[in-house]
């Protein structure tokens, strides 16, 4: 233990004696470790946000769509575009033929829309949703003021609209917009309600920059030749899986899909979207670790170089110590400790820089980013491993020096 503490004291003395050279040597390790910490913080923050935002959906609800879940990963979009659209006939068939299904809410949407009044207008970034009266039961939305449209307004395609908070604040700053008129694609709509604030999805896409209108009038504005997204809620949580099976079997029969062929539609649950995200995060994690390893190798080469220089500069010192009785393992331990301590210090700097970038990202993006403890432990362990791996050769070279020849060195 005393020998280790002596080696530690000597290593600290060497580092403090050449701080600038040591810091420049550690740049590779600092960058590699900071990369891992930042990427792990980002991924953990995104995972937390995905789970939270997915939890806003209605209970025991899943979605029938034409497209893959969430857009996470690489897909052959041209292949999916050839799938048949999901239409209102499919919605009615589900309502009539699936006994485990309790609520069905078809919806369509169009992004990049501009809403206007006589005195104000939004940017062309509003997402307009067309849906039915059952949508609040499956989507988790709630009305802050006013009301939701009723069955008559939905079936007749009345020109009524509910505004998200961001849209309401832009068009009607400081006043309740209920009862006023807005225009969508030049068509006047009566504002009947304002939605409760929902925040942003993944900290990037505002869920309050939207407007909701009846599906029938939506199709009059944007056309009927579009595929619907259908939110489906089971009658009871215990029937959730059975409801999915009933919808799957019904859709396959309606589309004459053979038993050996894959389905030409998708069923999304919170779990399926989360699983898709986890697959993407694994790829990002592997890529981040690869960048870290490359940076650590560069840092390791720097440590190898600086330790060889240190051995040459201290050859006479090594000779004196060996002449006074220092054993080879003591010299080996001293220089190996210096290399590991140097790398560990670089790893600690990288962890600090990584946490700073995570904090900055948290502040800029707006969702909680957190670094898992295992990522910190892994980064520091890899740093020490690199220091030992690249420092062992200079340490062994110092330990093998002949004391007589070493003391003759100027």
């Amino acid at each position: 233990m005393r020998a280790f503490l002596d080696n530690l004291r000597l290593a600290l003395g060497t580092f403090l004696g050449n701080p600038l050279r040591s810091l420049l040597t550690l740049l590779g390790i600092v960058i590699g470790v900071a990369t891992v910490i930042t990427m792990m913080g980002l991924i953990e923050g995104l995972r937390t946000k995905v789970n939270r935002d997915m939890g806003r959906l209605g209970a025991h609800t899943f979605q029938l769509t034409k497209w893959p879940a969430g857009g996470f990963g690489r897909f052959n979009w041209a292949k999916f575009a050839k799938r048949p659209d999901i239409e209102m006939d499919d919605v009615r068939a589900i309502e009539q033929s699936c006994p485990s299904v309790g609520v069905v809410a078809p919806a369509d949407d169009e992004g990049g829309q501009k809403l206007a009044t006589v005195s104000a207008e939004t940017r062309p970034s509003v997402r307009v949703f067309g849906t039915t009266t059952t949508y609040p039961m499956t989507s988790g939305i709630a009305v802050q003021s006013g009301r939701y449209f009723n069955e008559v307004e939905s079936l007749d395609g009345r020109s009524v609209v509910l505004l998200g908070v961001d849209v309401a604040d832009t068009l009607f700053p400081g006043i309740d917009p209920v009862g006023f008129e807005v225009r969508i694609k030049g068509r006047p709509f009566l504002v009947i309600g304002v939605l409760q604030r929902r925040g942003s999805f993944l900290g990037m896409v505002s869920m309050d920059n939207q407007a909701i209108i009846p599906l029938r009038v939506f199709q009059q504005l944007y056309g009927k030749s579009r595929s619907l997204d259908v939110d489906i809620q089971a009658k009871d949580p215990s029937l959730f899986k059975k409801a999915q099976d009933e919808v799957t079997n019904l859709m396959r029969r309606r589309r004459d899909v053979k038993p050996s062929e894959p389905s030409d539609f998708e069923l999304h649950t919170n779990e399926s979207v989360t699983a898709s995200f986890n697959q993407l995060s694994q790829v990002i994690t592997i890529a981040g670790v690869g960048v870290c390893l490359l940076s650590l190798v560069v840092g390791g080469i720097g440590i190898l170089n600086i330790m060889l220089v240190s051995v040459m500069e201290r050859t006479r010192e090594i000779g004196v110590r060996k002449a006074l009785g220092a054993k080879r393992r003591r010299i080996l331990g001293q220089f190996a400790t210096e290399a590991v301590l140097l790398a560990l210090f670089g790893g600690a700097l990288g962890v600090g820089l990584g946490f700073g970038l995570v904090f900055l990202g948290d502040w800029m993006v707006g969702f909680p980013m957190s670094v898992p403890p295992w990522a910190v432990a892994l980064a520091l362990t890899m740093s020490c491993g690199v220091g030992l791996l690249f420092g062992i050769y200079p340490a062994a070279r110092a330990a093998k020096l002949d004391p007589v020849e070493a003391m003759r060195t100027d």
Side-chain angles (χ1 to χ4, degrees):
M1 184 64 181
R2 183 177 179 181
F4 173 74
L5 292 176
D6 287 341
N7 289 337
L8 189 61
R9 178 178 55 80
L10 290 169
L12 286 172
T14 301
F15 176 77
L16 295 175
N18 299 279
L20 181 59
R21 185 174 70 179
S22 300
L23 288 173
L24 292 175
T25 301
L26 297 176
L27 276 179
I29 293 178
V30 171
I31 293 172
V33 171
T35 300
V36 168
I37 296 298
T38 305
M39 296 190 76
M40 292 305 101
L42 175 62
I43 290 172
E44 286 300 310
L46 283 173
R47 182 177 288 113
T48 301
K49 188 66 175 174
V50 165
N51 292 334
R52 183 184 303 170
D53 289 343
M54 290 297 102
R56 291 176 178 173
L57 294 177
H60 44 278
T61 300
F62 60 97
Q63 189 178 64
L64 170 68
T65 74
K66 178 179 178 177
W67 308 98
F72 299 120
R74 299 180 61 184
F75 299 104
N76 184 353
W77 295 107
K79 172 186 174 183
F80 293 113
K82 295 178 182 178
R83 288 177 167 181
D85 291 338
I86 297 171
E87 302 173 340
M88 282 303 298
D89 288 342
D90 298 313
V91 174
R92 286 186 280 269
I94 293 171
E95 292 174 330
Q96 297 168 4
S97 305
C98 298
S100 299
V101 170
V103 180
V104 181
D108 198 358
D109 64 271
E110 184 71 23
Q113 299 302 296
K114 181 189 292 186
L115 276 64
T117 65
V118 292
S119 58
E121 65 180 19
T122 67
R123 293 182 178 181
S125 59
V126 178
R127 184 163 293 276
V128 177
F129 287 85
T131 185
T132 62
T133 55
T134 53
Y135 188 65
M137 305 178 197
T138 61
S139 64
I141 67 167
V143 177
Q144 174 180 293
S145 65
R147 62 178 178 84
Y148 198 77
F149 53 79
N150 56 41
E151 192 71 26
V152 173
E153 291 168 328
S154 178
L155 293 176
D156 288 350
R158 302 272 180 88
S159 296
V160 292
V161 61
L162 290 96
L163 303 179
V165 176
D166 291 349
V167 179
D169 289 344
T170 300
L171 297 179
F172 304 96
I175 63 173
D176 186 351
V178 175
F180 287 87
E181 184 180 278
V182 300
R183 288 184 173 271
I184 304 175
K185 292 194 71 174
R187 181 168 178 166
F189 282 77
L190 176 66
V191 179
I192 60 172
V194 177
L195 302 173
Q196 284 186 0
R197 185 175 296 279
R198 304 184 71 196
S200 59
F201 184 74
L202 302 185
M204 294 175 283
V205 181
S206 174
M207 300 175 72
D208 299 310
N209 191 34
Q210 62 173 310
I212 298 178
I213 62 178
L215 180 59
R216 177 161 292 185
V217 71
F218 178 93
Q219 291 177 333
Q220 293 172 7
L221 287 177
Y222 299 103
K224 293 184 178 181
S225 300
R226 303 161 61 101
S227 184
L228 298 173
D229 297 328
V230 186
D231 292 342
I232 303 170
Q233 187 178 81
K235 287 182 176 179
D236 186 83
S238 62
L239 299 174
F240 185 61
K241 185 66 171 65
K242 186 176 181 181
Q244 293 182 65
D245 293 338
E246 290 174 357
V247 171
T248 299
N249 293 333
L250 173 66
M251 293 298 296
R252 288 178 66 89
R253 288 198 309 270
R254 286 178 58 82
R255 298 184 172 196
D256 295 324
V257 179
K258 297 179 180 178
S260 58
E261 296 177 348
S263 298
D264 55 359
F265 55 89
E266 302 286 336
L267 289 187
H268 304 325
T269 63
N270 292 349
E271 291 75 17
S272 66
V273 175
T274 303
S276 298
F277 172 78
N278 288 338
Q279 291 178 357
L280 176 63
S281 67
Q282 289 175 2
V283 175
I284 296 175
T285 300
I286 293 172
V289 172
V291 172
C292 174
L293 287 175
L294 182 60
S295 298
L296 288 176
V297 169
V298 173
I301 294 173
I303 290 176
L304 174 65
N305 179 63
I306 202 68
M307 291 305 298
L308 287 173
V309 171
S310 180
V311 169
M312 292 178 61
E313 291 177 345
R314 297 157 63 189
T315 300
R316 187 176 181 83
E317 173 194 330
I318 296 169
V320 171
R321 292 188 64 194
K322 296 190 74 173
L324 292 175
K327 296 182 179 180
R328 290 181 60 182
R329 67 172 179 271
R330 184 69 181 273
I331 303 297
L332 179 69
Q334 176 189 343
F335 282 89
T337 302
E338 287 184 15
V340 171
L341 185 64
L342 195 62
L344 180 61
F345 183 73
L349 287 178
V351 169
L353 177 60
F355 270 96
L357 293 174
V358 166
F359 176 80
L360 182 62
D362 189 354
W363 175 71
M364 292 180 62
V365 179
F367 64 84
M369 297 172 65
S370 59
V371 180
W374 65 263
V376 177
L378 176 64
L380 293 178
T381 301
M382 292 173 67
S383 299
C384 292
V386 166
L388 183 61
L389 178 65
F390 286 89
I392 198 68
Y393 171 70
R397 183 170 176 176
K400 290 179 181 178
L401 288 175
D402 181 82
V404 175
E405 294 296 329
M407 286 191 294
R408 288 177 178 173
T409 303
D410 293 332

